[in-house]
Amino acid sequence: MGKHSISINNTEYPCRLTMGAMLEFKRRTGQEVTEMQGTDIALLITLIFCCLVSSCRADGVELPFKDEMDMADHMSPEDLSGWQSENFQAQAAPCEMEKAQSKKKG
């Protein structure tokens, strides 16, 4: 899986968090992305779909799925966890490295 993409059914699609994706998420759910808590699978799938919609629109790629359910029907748990780790856990790593470095200095 490449950076800012998701692999679904062994096919890669552009899928990154954009301002358009956050706006789409707000319109669909009534919630801000920053309000997401825990592991609500429905909200996570909706967020991924919003990222897919926005990224495909921005990149001029035809949207491969008609809605969240259509996308989810083609996804495996591995597709979901791969996108999550690429987009969220990788961002936490630099923060953890900074903490470790400041402990070494202090």
Side-chain angles (χ1 to χ4, degrees), residues 47-87:
L47 175 61
I48 292 172
F49 186 72
C50 292
C51 291
L52 180 71
V53 167
S54 177
S55 298
C56 285
R57 186 172 47 230
D59 295 355
V61 173
E62 185 176 341
L63 187 62
F65 307 106
K66 64 181 179 182
D67 57 26
E68 296 97 322
M69 188 62 73
D70 186 28
M71 181 188 74
D73 285 345
H74 292 87
M75 288 179 78
S76 70
E78 291 78 22
D79 296 336
L80 176 69
S81 64
W83 186 85
Q84 269 187 297
S85 65
E86 181 179 293
N87 287 277

Side-chain angles (χ1 to χ4, degrees), residues 12-65:
E12 278 197 47
Y13 304 101
C15 189
R16 58 190 177 275
L17 187 60
T18 64
M19 297 305 290
M22 290 189 278
L23 181 59
E24 185 76 27
F25 183 83
K26 173 74 174 185
R27 288 180 177 169
R28 287 174 180 267
T29 67
Q31 294 183 29
E32 298 290 343
V33 171
T34 56
E35 294 173 0
M36 285 181 62
Q37 294 181 3
T39 57
D40 185 327
I41 193 73
L43 286 178
L44 185 55
I45 294 293
T46 301
L47 175 61
I48 292 172
F49 186 72
C50 292
C51 291
L52 180 71
V53 167
S54 177
S55 298
C56 285
R57 186 172 47 230
D59 295 355
V61 173
E62 185 176 341
L63 187 62
F65 307 106

